[in-house]
Amino acid sequence: SSAASDVYKRQVLMSRKMMSDLDNKTGYYGYSSESGNVSGKDKKKKGNKGGSVLGVILALIQLVLSGLLVYQVVSANILSTTYLAVLVIVLVVLFAIALLTQKGGRTARTSGKILSVIISIILGILLFYMGQFLGFLNNYSDGKKVSEEPFVVFVSASDEFGTYNPKENYRSDTNILAVVNPKTSTVLMISTPRDYYVPIIAKSVAPDSYDKLTHAGKYGTGIAYDQNGSELTSSGWNWAQEVTWGVGNTAIMDTLKTLYNIPVSSKNYHYVQLNFTGFAKLVDALGGITVDVDKSFSTKTYASYDEDNGERKTYKYKKGKQEMNGNEALTFVRERHSFGDGDLQRNRNQVKVLKALSSKVLSTSMITNTDSILSAVGESFKTDMNIGSLVKLQTQLMGKSEFSKTGWQIVSYSVTGQSASQKLTWNGLFKSVMLQDEQSESNATELMKLALDGTDYTTLENKVKEYQASDNK
């Protein structure tokens, strides 16, 4: 009886303990606690819910920034469809990772939040620079647009200092036709001597009227006006008459197009014009250029430059590669008296300098500095090209694997001729000129057609070497 009583007591005590434990943890009927007590595990779960919400918010911010970046890239039109698709996929995957981590453990959730913050910061920086880039494109959106279709650029350096006078035409000291083919990443430069004796193609000039090529720039639009503002016909004026020519580059560009029979439409025929001041500033803005000098010589500056304090300085050039600043490069391309073949060697030197300039201007590192370069050149530079579309083209090409391997490949050819004295249409005087060389012109025409048709760089370079060897015989 006593033993049975002890057993019964122990059973009662055990039952009470079990009921007490059940009541404290889950409530009397096994549901959530009725006593208001929350276990440590439940507290942990409640805190995790708040952490996940923060992670989701950060992921959503990341998504919004990603969408804005894609919108700006599409607006700038700087990526091909393939690369744009890759960008979108990468951004979506990063968003998915940031979001899915919030369903994992504490470590995964923390890592997800950090990842979202880092990605958002990077996206914010990219959005800032894309905004700057779009602003630049909008600021330079005037003029004829360029695309991946081959085009020709007349590169002219006027023999004047300071800023351009919008009411004046200038003589062209440098006359280079750059045939640009984005599909083959090639640039062919054809240089024509400034004193080349050519027929002037202009509305107010009689057919078969010959002059120096440099004077063609003075004919402007090719239309002459008398003192009353009336347009003059080709037979209505002569060199002794005071007339005003329409301002522009039409006459010289048409003269060159006719001379070489260039098969290019007007929409793909552009010009870039610098004067001496703009040229020197451009070289300095690029941080100088490296030029391979053919022959050693020394010469004084053509005129007093800004940094010369009004005095003409003497510059020395040694055979081989030489670093040049703006004034040194300008003096180099102006000199002709130090050479036996005079203007022909100057012509070759101008091509060398332009190639050095082009290599820097067209390089990847210069894309982000285009605005500062144009600002440095200022009002000593003008073009009919839409600079924004030109920068877009360069950016698009940089995204192509074949272009990234080679970049722009530049080849050049200089037209030759023979010295003589001939009467000029501009002033009716007999002056020293350079007579045309038909074979040399034919070579230039053939090279331009090959470049426009998509001939590769190696073939063009071999053709140039062949023609140069023939010219030197």
Side-chain angles (χ1 to χ4, degrees):
S1 172
S2 177
S5 177
D6 289 340
V7 170
Y8 174 75
K9 288 179 179 179
R10 285 197 295 273
Q11 289 177 341
V12 170
L13 289 172
M14 186 177 295
S15 298
R16 288 177 179 176
K17 186 176 183 304
M18 290 176 63
M19 291 298 293
S20 176
D21 291 342
L22 182 64
D23 183 56
N24 286 334
K25 292 180 181 179
T26 61
Y28 187 79
Y29 295 103
Y31 299 111
S32 59
S33 175
E34 296 172 358
S35 63
N37 295 328
V38 180
S39 69
K41 184 177 180 180
D42 288 335
K43 288 181 180 179
K44 183 177 179 180
K45 288 182 179 178
K46 185 175 181 181
N48 290 344
K49 184 176 180 181
S52 297
V53 170
L54 177 60
V56 170
I57 291 174
L58 291 173
L60 290 175
I61 292 174
Q62 175 187 326
L63 178 63
V64 171
L65 293 175
S66 298
L68 291 173
L69 179 63
V70 171
Y71 173 77
Q72 287 193 338
V73 170
V74 171
S75 299
N77 190 28
I78 57 175
L79 291 182
S80 64
T81 304
T82 301
Y83 282 100
L84 180 62
V86 170
L87 175 64
V88 172
I89 291 172
V90 169
L91 292 175
V92 169
V93 169
L94 290 174
F95 168 69
I97 292 173
L99 194 62
L100 291 174
T101 54
Q102 300 312 304
K103 294 185 178 181
R106 174 181 292 178
T107 301
R109 290 192 299 272
T110 301
S111 299
K113 295 185 188 106
I114 295 173
L115 178 64
S116 285
V117 171
I118 293 174
I119 293 175
S120 295
I121 291 173
I122 294 174
L123 289 172
I125 294 172
L126 291 175
L127 283 169
F128 172 78
Y129 282 108
M130 277 301 302
Q132 295 283 324
F133 182 68
L134 286 172
F136 164 78
L137 295 182
N138 290 331
N139 290 336
Y140 297 97
S141 60
D142 296 332
K144 294 188 286 187
K145 292 184 178 181
V146 299
S147 64
E148 289 195 45
E149 190 175 343
F151 57 94
V152 177
V153 182
F154 167 57
V155 182
S156 169
S158 306
D159 59 350
E160 297 285 342
F161 288 93
T163 61
Y164 274 115
N165 182 343
K167 297 182 179 180
E168 186 175 347
N169 292 313
Y170 297 92
R171 291 181 301 180
S172 182
D173 195 64
T174 300
N175 303 281
I176 294 177
L177 291 170
V179 182
V180 184
N181 194 324
K183 296 177 181 179
T184 56
S185 306
T186 58
V187 178
L188 168 68
M189 294 183 181
I190 301 295
S191 178
T192 310
R194 71 189 297 276
D195 291 340
Y196 219 51
Y197 197 55
V198 295
I200 301 298
I201 307 301
K203 187 175 180 181
S204 294
V205 176
D208 298 323
S209 294
Y210 279 72
D211 209 327
K212 290 184 178 184
L213 179 60
T214 184
H215 286 168
K218 300 291 285 185
Y219 292 94
T221 62
I223 301 176
Y225 301 89
D226 62 20
Q227 293 179 331
N228 297 319
S230 300
E231 182 178 320
L232 297 173
T233 63
S234 58
S235 60
W237 77 277
N238 58 66
W239 61 267
Q241 183 180 358
E242 184 177 343
V243 299
T244 301
W245 293 89
V247 179
N249 290 294
T250 307
I252 192 168
M253 291 176 70
D254 286 348
T255 296
L256 285 168
K257 186 176 181 179
T258 301
L259 179 68
Y260 295 116
N261 191 25
I262 308 173
V264 66
S265 64
S266 59
K267 74 171 184 176
N268 291 322
Y269 192 20
H270 310 275
Y271 73 82
V272 171
Q273 190 170 20
L274 287 158
N275 63 12
F276 288 162
T277 299
F279 174 85
K281 286 184 176 180
L282 175 60
V283 174
D284 288 336
L286 293 172
I289 55 175
T290 302
V291 182
D292 193 0
V293 180
D294 288 334
K295 303 175 182 179
S296 298
F297 68 96
S298 63
T299 184
K300 285 188 176 182
T301 54
Y302 175 68
S304 59
Y305 306 142
D306 291 340
E307 70 176 31
D308 295 337
N309 298 318
E311 298 180 1
R312 294 182 62 186
K313 296 177 63 175
T314 298
Y315 290 113
K316 295 182 179 181
Y317 303 90
K318 294 183 178 181
K319 184 178 180 179
K321 293 185 178 180
Q322 183 171 335
E323 291 288 328
M324 298 183 189
N325 63 23
N327 288 348
E328 290 169 334
L330 178 57
T331 304
F332 179 73
V333 298
R334 283 293 306 149
E335 179 57 24
R336 61 171 172 156
H337 299 293
S338 299
F339 316 115
D341 52 358
D343 202 43
L344 290 177
Q345 182 59 44
R346 175 168 65 175
N347 218 39
R348 290 189 284 269
N349 289 344
Q350 289 175 350
V351 172
K352 284 177 175 289
V353 168
L354 188 58
K355 287 178 71 173
L357 275 172
S358 300
S359 296
K360 275 205 167 183
V361 170
L362 297 174
S363 67
T364 302
S365 60
M366 286 297 128
I367 281 293
T368 55
N369 297 325
T370 306
D371 195 16
S372 59
I373 292 172
L374 292 176
S375 297
V377 175
E379 296 179 350
S380 301
F381 159 89
K382 62 181 180 179
T383 181
D384 69 337
M385 283 192 292
N386 182 311
I387 299 297
S389 66
L390 196 62
V391 173
K392 281 184 182 181
L393 173 62
Q394 176 71 5
T395 308
Q396 290 169 349
L397 291 175
M398 284 161 47
K400 296 184 177 181
S401 57
E402 59 270 24
F403 181 84
S404 62
K405 295 176 184 177
T406 62
W408 289 103
Q409 300 176 99
I410 304 172
V411 62
S412 61
Y413 179 73
S414 297
V415 175
T416 62
Q418 297 79 38
S419 296
S421 179
Q422 295 290 334
K423 185 178 181 179
L424 308 182
T425 299
W426 180 254
N427 54 21
L429 302 177
F430 278 83
K431 292 289 184 178
S432 175
V433 300
M434 183 173 290
L435 297 179
Q436 299 175 32
D437 182 286
E438 292 184 2
Q439 185 57 55
S440 183
E441 288 175 25
S442 177
N443 293 344
T445 297
E446 178 63 20
L447 287 169
M448 282 190 275
K449 287 181 178 178
L450 289 173
L452 288 169
D453 289 340
T455 302
D456 63 275
Y457 168 75
T458 302
T459 303
L460 279 175
E461 188 177 38
N462 289 336
K463 269 290 183 184
V464 167
K465 290 179 180 178
E466 175 189 330
Y467 291 155
Q468 287 175 335
S470 177
D471 293 339
N472 294 330
K473 287 182 180 180

